[in-house]
Amino acid sequence: MDTIRYTSCGYHCECDCVLKVHVRDGVIVACEPDDTINPGLAREDEHLAEDALNRGMVQARMCAKGYTQVRMLYDPKRVKYPMKRVGRRGEAKFERISWDEALDAIARKLVEVKKDYGPFSIMHNPYSNLSRCSLPIAPWFGAGFAGWGTHSLGGLEEPVMWVLGKDTAHQRKEINQDEANIFKSRLIVLWGGNYSATLSSAFVYNLLRAKERGIPIICIEPRYTPTAEVVADQWIPIRPTTDVAMMIAMANVWFKEGLCDQEFIEKWVEPEGLRRWKAYVLGTGDGVDKTPQWGEGICGVPAETIAEFARLYARSKPVNLNVAGSLGRQFYGENPVRASIYLQALTGNACTPGGTAVTLLYNGHATVPLPAVDYQRRPGTYKPPVLMCSFKWLKAIDLREKLDRGEIGKEEYNTTIGNVAGNEPPNIRMAILESNNLLNSLPDINAGIRAMNRLDFVVVSSYYAEMPSARYADILLPQIATAFEGRDDLGHSMSARNPFRSARNLANYFVYRQKCVDPPGEIKSSEWVWVQIARRLGIAEQYSPRLADVPDNEWDEAVEDLYREAYEKWALREDVAALKPPGWQEFQKKPVFRWETKDAYYPFKKDLDAGKNPFRGTPSGKLEFYSEGLSRGADHLATHEFFAGSGKCYGGGNLPPMAQMTTGGGAGFHSEDTERYPLLMSSPHSYYRVHSFLDNQALLKDDCYRHAIWINVSDARARGIKDDDPVRVYNELGEMVVPAYVTGKIVPGTVCLFHGGWYVPDAARSPTMPEGIDTRGSPSLLIHNRDLPQTVLGYYPCQGLVQIEKWRGAP
């Protein structure tokens, strides 16, 4: 008879859908959907009242990624033992070693590198961001550093602070919405997002419900995505990196036709900044009237469409505007993000039921706390400083030799990586990449390879030795599958590792991820690894006193006891006890706890309900169209923190102090570089991967998903390219050979290659591809890590200008 266990996926998409797992003789034999609520109902909306659905009392069902991940556990190529490199970096040649040898080597190198190069020489990822350091032992070992900003929200976080005065690292949920908030709107706008592929399939389900209710949905995107196809009443194709031109032209219509919400503006909008921006929009300052006709010439959307959409928008309050991360993750991406907030402010949609201020990621507003383990850690004496923009660490390594040789000065080095001029520069000599594939995901992979090869020591934990980041490891550790093989949170500050997983979107339940099976070989949890390293460094009692002396054969039981204790203490809390949570043993039968969402959260509801000014974080205490800080110019930005005490330095960039249509610079539709590379490549997320995770999953390749570069019919015809032809995609950074997907579902002049494809080098090399021409298609090879001096640091590049030609075979 099968043993039934419950878990959640949790691989970074953070929807935390529930998986029912069948285990037979210690092996997972089947995975089924959530049955912890409404069991046996395939279509809950056919049986439940609307109110029950809106209160979140529904199943949390897995997508294709969630069901197929179990295949990874039994993949014969999986890394099951500690390994050390025996070839050159990049060859992926390793031999098995013992855990003692691996742990001794890591501990020894930690001590050596810190002694020789100081505390800022050790970099840990993936989560040394949001001004935190993710090296678990940093406060007690006395080394490591933090980064500011994030990959996911680069180009969005900073504008939110400039305009709304909210720090997304700690206040993100205050400015977002519960999904049920969309049912209170009269118009839903999806700008730049393909929500059927990213973060929440539940959101698409609710969009379909909204459509059935008659709420119009308009999708603005360069591609005709599955989301546009399934839920949208209208698709407005737009050239990528030109969104702000359409937004400005919409505001032009509102100003001229008196369609703004003057009551909201007078109460909440800082007037001088609005005056400046209105003058820009109407052309009273520069002589260029930013009409819909002006916008059409830039973004490609017909002037009539822009004008009529603007009028529909203005008369449809409340409007639920959903701006995707793609708008920020582009050159000058801060402009459309700021302008989108302006649109909601001008129409009074920024803090009202059914409206939005800015939608970063779908973070439901949890009203019930989660169980938390009492670690009983002792305070550390070291606080890792913020020393760079979080995703600039490869550039920091790459440029360090120039600093050491005196080719650049300390101030220039710091400015380039986002470090405050007076700070000590990091000198990264040891990198620990834990459960991630950042080399493959960060822009300019070849520059990343150069940086990795300059390091003294690299530790990577991975499922596969062939994973691009793992190929450059000196010590390769096996990675545990936390969804099935054991929890992995202790000692880490990242909530993503908490076994009590709260859904990002609905936020009205949590699932306790039960251990389903033992991992194969000698795979251990990350926390076990760090406790053993801490022992070797003599800090185990400070770092993890409750696990410091636990023997291996009692590890799982000890960890389970900590979680049971956390749950039982949580259940006794006054604000929880009224919900009548079951006892621990009863909870284990179906370890999902739900509570009803009483009233859908909308942006700033918490502040408004408490009688607080929602924009009190800005200098004026109002929503600001114009940033006085940015107006001080590049010289000031190069040497000063932006917001005292933040550790953030934007570098000597020239981003306008208010949202404008800024051409030129890096990868943009109207960049001067289009003369050489005329096609703008975007790299959206795929439905069949979580970043690069699962790219080698056979069930999600070939028959169901063709990893190919999208190209418009007209662009393909001009190059003699037919569907499925192998094509050479290239620019000055690199090149690849991939199939072409010739389609009318993408705007002419643009191409698309989904993010997360692994860099798989061929034996054939070229001047730009010294490690081998890519045969799989990793778009990061062709994306610049470039910003200064045209713009400020902070945006995360996800686009590149390329040329495409039909592949004629190896030279």
Side-chain angles (χ1 to χ4, degrees):
M1 184 176 178
D2 293 351
T3 299
I4 303 299
R5 307 289 279 172
Y6 289 87
T7 186
S8 71
C9 179
Y11 285 105
H12 194 76
C13 78
E14 299 184 37
C15 295
D16 291 295
C17 306
V18 178
L19 201 61
K20 180 180 179 181
V21 180
H22 290 252
V23 180
R24 187 181 307 155
D25 298 328
V27 176
I28 296 174
V29 295
C31 294
E32 295 181 347
D34 181 13
D35 69 351
T36 61
I37 191 171
N38 307 325
L41 298 185
R43 281 289 304 268
E44 292 167 290
D45 52 1
E46 290 184 346
H47 302 273
L48 301 180
E50 285 284 305
D51 187 52
L53 297 172
N54 294 344
R55 286 184 277 112
M57 305 307 286
V58 294
Q59 298 165 5
R61 299 181 185 176
M62 287 278 182
C63 67
K65 298 185 288 286
Y67 290 116
T68 57
Q69 64 181 311
V70 70
R71 300 294 183 105
M72 175 192 64
L73 273 63
Y74 305 112
D75 191 330
K77 292 185 177 180
R78 187 180 178 189
V79 176
K80 301 181 182 68
Y81 306 92
M83 314 275 277
K84 71 176 181 180
R85 175 172 58 85
V86 294
R88 68 173 181 85
R89 283 182 180 159
E91 285 186 312
K93 292 183 178 179
F94 300 95
E95 68 178 15
R96 178 179 170 180
I97 58 175
S98 69
W99 269 110
D100 280 339
E101 184 178 350
L103 295 166
D104 288 346
I106 295 169
R108 182 173 61 252
K109 280 294 183 180
L110 283 167
V111 173
E112 290 178 2
V113 170
K114 177 187 172 185
K115 177 183 177 182
D116 293 343
Y117 301 103
F120 311 147
S121 58
I122 300 166
M123 190 279 307
H124 179 277
N125 256 314
Y127 292 119
S128 286
N129 57 23
L130 294 174
S131 302
R132 65 190 177 188
C133 172
S134 61
L135 179 64
I137 59 173
W140 304 275
F141 179 59
F145 59 87
W148 61 269
T150 63
H151 311 87
S152 298
L153 299 179
L156 290 92
E157 292 170 310
E158 300 309 304
V160 169
M161 179 61 81
W162 305 334
V163 182
L164 299 175
K166 293 293 186 181
D167 176 8
T168 57
H170 305 102
Q171 299 171 302
R172 185 184 304 171
K173 292 186 177 182
E174 295 181 23
I175 57 177
N176 276 339
Q177 64 175 336
D178 289 337
E179 289 181 2
N181 185 50
I182 64 175
F183 301 124
K184 298 178 181 180
S185 65
R186 294 180 60 200
L187 173 67
I188 298 171
V189 180
L190 310 177
W191 205 314
N194 179 21
Y195 296 97
S196 65
T198 55
L199 289 181
S200 175
S201 57
F203 184 49
V204 175
Y205 168 68
N206 283 322
L207 286 171
L208 285 168
R209 291 179 58 214
K211 184 175 182 178
E212 291 171 355
R213 289 183 174 197
I215 303 173
I217 301 174
I218 296 176
C219 184
I220 305 171
E221 249 273 4
R223 294 183 303 126
Y224 188 56
T225 63
T227 303
E229 183 175 358
V230 173
V231 306
D233 295 283
Q234 182 181 6
W235 170 50
I236 301 178
I238 189 170
R239 294 166 178 162
T241 72
T242 68
D243 307 88
V244 69
M246 181 173 171
M247 295 175 181
I248 291 168
M250 290 168 60
N252 186 282
V253 174
W254 296 343
F255 288 140
K256 290 178 178 177
E257 298 183 8
L259 297 175
C260 297
D261 186 328
Q262 290 302 133
E263 181 181 353
F264 181 91
I265 290 171
E266 290 174 7
K267 183 175 183 179
W268 295 118
V269 177
E270 192 280 314
E272 178 58 22
L274 174 58
R275 183 194 64 78
R276 290 172 183 261
W277 195 67
K278 183 176 180 179
Y280 165 75
V281 171
L282 297 178
T284 57
D286 61 8
V288 179
D289 192 4
K290 315 300 188 301
T291 64
Q293 289 74 21
W294 168 87
E296 176 181 356
I298 296 171
C299 69
V301 179
E304 182 181 3
T305 300
I306 295 175
E308 289 304 315
F309 175 62
R311 295 179 184 117
L312 173 67
Y313 196 117
R315 65 173 182 261
S316 298
K317 184 178 178 178
V319 175
N320 199 274
L321 173 61
N322 298 271
V323 171
S326 61
L327 265 66
R329 295 197 293 264
Q330 55 180 273
F331 215 89
Y332 299 125
E334 296 90 349
N335 284 328
V337 173
R338 285 185 285 181
S340 72
I341 305 174
Y342 299 174
L343 296 186
Q344 290 295 81
L346 291 173
T347 52
N349 287 297
C351 45
T352 187
T356 54
V358 57
T359 305
L360 305 176
L361 297 172
Y362 274 90
N363 290 275
H365 198 84
T367 58
V368 176
L370 297 183
V373 172
D374 179 8
Y375 301 108
Q376 298 182 10
R377 293 198 185 95
R378 294 166 193 171
T381 58
Y382 175 78
K383 183 179 179 180
V386 178
L387 295 181
M388 68 173 62
C389 179
S390 62
F391 53 85
K392 293 290 184 180
W393 59 272
L394 286 169
K395 180 167 279 191
I397 299 168
D398 208 22
L399 291 177
R400 180 68 200 206
E401 287 187 3
K402 289 187 175 182
L403 175 64
D404 293 339
R405 292 196 299 262
E407 296 176 18
I408 59 175
K410 171 184 168 183
E411 183 175 305
E412 180 181 353
Y413 177 82
N414 277 348
T415 294
T416 304
I417 64 173
N419 193 13
V420 178
N423 283 350
E424 281 300 308
N427 185 10
I428 303 172
R429 312 296 299 195
M430 178 176 180
I432 304 170
L433 304 183
E434 192 172 359
S435 308
N436 70 81
N437 190 14
L438 284 178
L439 179 62
N440 195 78
S441 298
L442 292 174
D444 195 353
I445 288 177
N446 281 315
I449 290 172
R450 288 197 308 271
M452 295 287 277
N453 282 327
R454 287 174 175 160
L455 290 170
D456 293 353
F457 199 67
V458 179
V459 180
V460 178
S461 62
S462 174
Y463 297 109
Y464 299 100
E466 296 82 10
M467 186 185 75
S469 297
R471 298 171 69 92
Y472 294 86
D474 297 303
I475 295 292
L476 178 60
L477 302 180
Q479 180 179 339
I480 196 168
T482 55
F484 302 103
E485 295 173 344
R487 283 72 53 159
D488 205 12
D489 72 306
L490 297 173
H492 296 264
S493 61
M494 295 81 76
S495 61
R497 294 181 181 271
N498 189 346
F500 297 101
R501 299 282 302 184
S502 176
R504 175 186 289 278
N505 306 88
L506 292 175
N508 74 316
Y509 73 90
F510 65 81
V511 53
Y512 176 68
R513 292 200 309 214
Q514 296 178 324
K515 181 177 179 179
C516 303
V517 294
D518 290 325
E522 295 179 3
I523 297 175
K524 302 289 187 179
S525 73
S526 172
E527 177 56 20
W528 180 90
V529 172
W530 284 110
V531 168
Q532 312 315 309
I533 292 172
R535 285 178 181 171
R536 286 161 169 79
L537 298 174
I539 57 174
E541 286 294 334
Q542 290 77 33
Y543 165 65
S544 189
R546 303 189 72 179
L547 292 174
D549 299 317
V550 174
D552 288 1
N553 62 346
E554 298 177 14
W555 183 269
D556 284 351
E557 182 179 353
V559 169
E560 186 83 0
D561 284 344
L562 291 179
Y563 296 141
R564 175 189 51 76
E565 175 190 273
Y567 179 87
E568 291 175 346
K569 286 184 177 180
W570 166 84
L572 294 174
R573 287 179 53 135
E574 185 177 348
D575 54 352
V576 172
L579 299 174
K580 299 180 180 180
W584 177 253
Q585 293 303 322
E586 183 66 23
F587 175 66
Q588 292 301 300
K589 295 176 182 178
K590 288 190 175 181
V592 179
F593 185 73
R594 290 179 172 86
W595 56 94
E596 293 183 349
T597 298
K598 299 296 184 182
D599 190 17
Y601 187 84
Y602 58 88
F604 305 112
K605 183 179 186 297
K606 181 180 178 181
D607 285 339
L608 294 171
D609 287 350
K612 295 180 179 179
N613 174 7
F615 310 115
R616 62 190 179 277
T618 67
S620 68
K622 291 194 172 185
L623 191 150
E624 296 190 352
F625 280 47
Y626 187 91
S627 169
E628 292 289 348
L630 290 177
S631 73
R632 294 173 184 171
D635 291 342
H636 178 86
L637 295 175
T639 56
H640 291 76
E641 287 179 301
F642 201 96
F643 300 118
S646 69
K648 299 176 182 179
C649 178
Y650 292 163
N654 289 283
L655 188 71
M658 57 187 180
Q660 298 180 7
M661 181 60 220
T662 311
T663 58
F669 193 88
H670 295 286
S671 169
E672 58 268 19
D673 291 344
T674 55
E675 294 183 7
R676 290 187 299 162
Y677 304 109
L679 299 172
L680 179 58
M681 179 192 70
S682 298
S683 59
H685 286 269
S686 168
Y687 178 76
Y688 298 100
R689 288 191 292 268
V690 180
H691 291 295
S692 66
F693 177 63
L694 297 175
D695 185 51
N696 63 337
Q697 171 52 253
L699 289 180
L700 299 179
K701 293 171 70 172
D702 303 326
D703 289 344
C704 70
Y705 166 65
R706 178 172 53 148
H707 188 59
I709 190 158
W710 292 37
I711 183 170
N712 184 270
V713 175
S714 61
D715 294 322
R717 185 180 296 120
R719 291 164 173 77
I721 295 170
K722 297 179 180 179
D723 189 56
D724 213 32
D725 279 349
V727 295
R728 177 177 176 244
V729 187
Y730 66 95
N731 60 21
E732 74 275 26
L733 297 179
E735 62 181 289
M736 62 182 66
V737 177
V738 294
Y741 170 42
V742 179
T743 177
K745 294 183 176 181
I746 190 167
V747 171
T750 71
V751 296
C752 158
L753 185 64
F754 285 107
H755 165 72
W758 287 10
Y759 167 41
V760 180
D762 188 58
R765 288 168 167 76
S766 71
T768 61
M769 298 297 295
E771 298 279 320
I773 295 171
D774 185 20
T775 59
R776 172 62 177 160
S778 179
S780 297
L781 276 166
L782 307 176
I783 296 173
H784 274 282
N785 190 359
R786 185 169 67 186
D787 32 54
L788 304 174
Q790 291 94 344
T791 188
V792 297
L793 275 71
Y795 91 97
Y796 184 75
C798 290
Q799 294 169 320
L801 288 166
V802 302
Q803 179 59 288
I804 296 180
E805 62 187 24
K806 190 171 181 177
W807 176 241
R808 305 294 181 183

